[in-house]
Amino acid sequence: MADNKAILKVGDKEIELPILSGTAGHDVIDIRSLGANGYFTYDPGFMATGSCESSITYIDGAKGILLHRGYSIEELARDADYIEVVYMLLHDKTPNTEEYRDFKDTITRHTLVHDQVNNFFRGFRRDAHPMAMLCGTVGAMASFYHDDLNIHDPEQRLRSAYRLVAKMPTLVAMCYKYNIGQPFVYPTNKLSYAENFLNMMFSVPAEDYKITPAVAKAVDRIFILHADHEQNASTSTVRLAGSSGANPYACIAAGVASLWGPAHGGANEACLNMLEEIGTVDRIPEFIARAKDKDDPFRLMGFGHRVYKNFDPRATVMRESCHEVLAELNIDDPLLNVAMELERIALSDPYFAEKKLFPNVDFYSGIILKAIGIPTNMFTCIFALARTVGWVSHWHEMLSQPGQKIGRPRQLYTGEAQRPYTKIEK
Ligand code: SDX
């Protein structure tokens, strides 16, 4: 880290603040000494705040670069599989063939959930939103893994991480099966991670589910594209929850809750609903006009990003996958035509160029998931499934850093100055 400094002049004071440099990306101004000098920084929404030091994922918003442990998302989506990406996010190295085989076997053998978990679902309405059920059941997993858990033991942290990565597909599939009134399907150890998920989602007792390799590959790629993304809202939620020493299952449940919002992981569900509301290409201009109208809260779901200001590299890969899956399944989905035309019009409109709005990771994923037969209300659960490895990797990294402190932001207080209280009877 470079040893240069920033000088903050406040009144007659000059406060020296160290500037720290990482491997790549923005330098940061270390403002930790400001409190002692009587000041806080103020940055609602964290537009320019680095909350931590991390070596897991690097994003360059201007250049559309996304690296996981230094490897580009394009290469990983093309040449790796999700289990390899999980291994490297957790272990900061790519596995050799033996490590891969052992790790894949470890994950496979943790896919079963305690049979008591089935009972949690009985309390939900049949039409409960799957994200509500996922939030509840992931948090409930803390009741099965708490007493013997020492989060300061890296081996036990990794064991929690493996369990969460392994069990999320099972829980997500259970949410779907509960919604449609079909029996839960147990994990099958002879299948790959993505194949096993598809089998738990779509097989029924009366007949075996035939896995289409292209579909399993597309699902595995969707998992890779959603695996991690630096300090996004849900990952920051997991870090803040974990900073108090909370149970990792409870922390991941908090991440699921944060991801649910339509501004974040809920955008894939909202995007497909928007495409269905648009319906036909000729109605696109009406929605473009609404997106530009300051008085209309409508936003183009699946467009825009806090960090990417030119393009989201994941959307580029997702778009290619979208075409491959629809061709493989011989589906001519009019929504894809609407999506492609919406993208073309938006990207040629000066307003969107000026606001730096373009398709993000959520824009095309919904079309692939719909083509596979996954209902719209399940899309964010798929995102949560895939992002679990990112959440647990950041949780594990945070707790492995020396001097880790509880996250405790301050505020700009604009309430009443102290005033005397008058008893209610007076
Ligand atoms: C994810 O952080 C991550 O990394 C997230 C994620 C991950 O992998 O974890 O990448 C996943 O959450 C992707 C984003 C999914 N969300 C959506 O697609 C929902 C639609 N997008 C927006 O809500 C918005 O673009 C955000 C939330 C993604 C980003 O919002 P910012 O950075 O806070 O930007 P902003 O809301 O301040 O918008 C800047 C301007 C505004 O106009 P002005 O007030 O300056 O006039 O752009 C406009 C906004 O009105 N704008 C949009 C728009 N997004 C922003 N206008 C129309 N449609 C949109 N989608």
Side-chain angles (χ1 to χ4, degrees):
M1 292 180 185
D3 192 18
N4 45 348
K5 296 189 187 315
I7 307 290
L8 181 63
K9 261 178 82 53
V10 185
D12 56 359
K13 259 188 181 180
E14 282 202 353
I15 303 170
E16 273 201 6
L17 299 171
I19 293 179
L20 311 177
S21 299
T23 316
H26 289 36
D27 285 349
V28 297
I29 299 175
D30 183 343
I31 49 95
R32 283 176 288 186
S33 65
L34 272 188
N37 282 285
Y39 291 95
F40 297 145
T41 58
Y42 181 66
D43 186 16
F46 309 121
M47 305 296 282
T49 291
S51 61
C52 62
E53 176 185 337
S54 179
S55 58
I56 297 170
T57 290
Y58 172 68
I59 303 173
D60 182 321
K63 296 177 185 157
I65 292 172
L66 168 56
L67 307 178
H68 292 315
R69 299 294 189 186
Y71 300 104
S72 76
I73 191 63
E74 293 88 347
E75 289 175 287
L76 295 175
R78 188 185 65 227
D79 301 331
D81 74 7
Y82 182 67
I83 289 299
E84 268 183 274
V85 174
V86 170
Y87 185 96
M88 74 174 70
L89 288 172
L90 282 168
H91 294 283
D92 193 6
K93 67 185 279 288
T94 49
N96 59 36
T97 44
E98 190 183 344
E99 288 163 334
Y100 173 81
R101 188 198 60 234
D102 294 346
F103 183 66
K104 184 176 179 185
D105 190 51
T106 299
I107 296 295
T108 300
R109 294 186 184 283
H110 280 83
T111 48
L112 201 58
V113 294
H114 193 293
D115 225 40
Q116 290 289 102
V117 172
N118 297 5
N119 301 332
F120 290 121
F121 285 89
R122 304 286 171 244
F124 294 118
R125 285 167 46 127
R126 274 288 176 189
D127 60 355
H129 193 289
M131 281 295 281
M133 292 192 275
L134 188 63
C135 210
T137 48
V138 171
M141 296 292 282
S143 65
F144 293 92
Y145 305 101
H146 187 71
D147 302 335
D148 71 342
L149 177 57
N150 169 13
I151 60 167
H152 301 293
D153 173 354
E155 284 312 307
Q156 291 191 43
R157 287 205 299 274
L158 283 173
R159 198 185 310 143
S160 301
Y162 299 164
R163 280 189 172 125
L164 276 155
V165 167
K167 295 180 195 306
M168 280 302 259
T170 311
L171 291 172
V172 167
M174 290 172 86
C175 293
Y176 174 61
K177 286 301 200 190
Y178 187 76
N179 266 165
I180 61 174
Q182 287 185 358
F184 298 139
V185 175
Y186 287 106
T188 307
N189 288 358
K190 65 178 187 299
L191 298 176
S192 74
Y193 191 85
E195 290 170 342
N196 181 43
F197 172 64
L198 288 167
N199 189 59
M200 292 190 289
M201 283 284 288
F202 296 123
S203 72
V204 289
E207 59 188 54
D208 289 336
Y209 169 66
K210 187 181 174 319
I211 290 168
T212 310
V215 170
K217 174 70 189 152
V219 168
D220 193 86
R221 183 174 288 174
I222 286 175
F223 290 167
I224 291 174
L225 293 172
H226 288 83
D228 187 51
H229 212 237
E230 200 214 62
Q231 306 309 323
N232 58 86
S234 52
T235 299
S236 299
T237 301
V238 170
R239 277 180 171 264
L240 197 55
S243 72
S244 72
N247 178 291
Y249 294 88
C251 296
I252 298 307
V256 173
S258 171
L259 185 76
W260 193 0
H264 190 11
N268 52 17
E269 176 179 359
C271 178
L272 204 89
N273 291 336
M274 174 191 73
L275 291 174
E276 284 174 343
E277 188 187 354
I278 294 173
T280 53
V281 169
D282 61 325
R283 290 196 62 206
I284 290 175
E286 169 195 336
F287 284 83
I288 295 272
R290 284 185 58 194
K292 294 178 182 178
D293 179 354
K294 281 276 149 268
D295 300 326
D296 188 331
F298 173 78
R299 289 193 164 186
L300 285 181
M301 302 317 284
F303 275 77
H305 200 277
R306 170 65 61 77
V307 178
Y308 291 123
K309 295 307 175 192
N310 279 310
F311 66 97
D312 182 337
R314 301 169 296 174
T316 310
V317 179
M318 197 74 82
R319 190 171 189 259
E320 289 160 19
S321 277
C322 200
H323 285 290
E324 286 165 14
V325 168
L326 293 186
E328 173 73 24
L329 299 178
N330 196 23
I331 293 174
D332 177 21
D333 186 342
L335 288 184
L336 178 63
N337 303 331
V338 173
M340 298 287 287
E341 186 58 10
L342 177 59
E343 182 187 32
R344 187 191 66 76
I345 295 173
L347 294 184
S348 58
D349 186 315
Y351 174 85
F352 294 95
E354 177 204 318
K355 298 277 179 199
K356 302 194 178 301
L357 301 175
F358 47 82
N360 56 43
V361 68
D362 293 306
F363 187 65
Y364 283 102
S365 56
I367 297 166
I368 301 177
L369 294 172
K370 177 176 176 286
I372 292 169
I374 293 172
T376 308
N377 69 355
M378 282 294 299
F379 290 0
T380 311
C381 283
I382 309 282
F383 194 153
L385 184 170
R387 183 53 57 88
T388 293
V389 64
W391 291 332
V392 290
S393 297
H394 283 273
W395 169 75
H396 177 52
E397 177 182 66
M398 174 182 69
L399 291 172
S400 63
Q401 287 170 339
Q404 181 265 325
K405 290 184 175 305
I406 188 170
R408 203 319 187 172
R410 301 305 301 275
Q411 63 178 12
L412 172 67
Y413 175 69
T414 54
E416 292 287 342
Q418 185 167 358
R419 53 184 171 169
Y421 173 70
T422 306
K423 282 186 179 180
I424 194 164
E425 53 271 18
K426 293 186 176 173

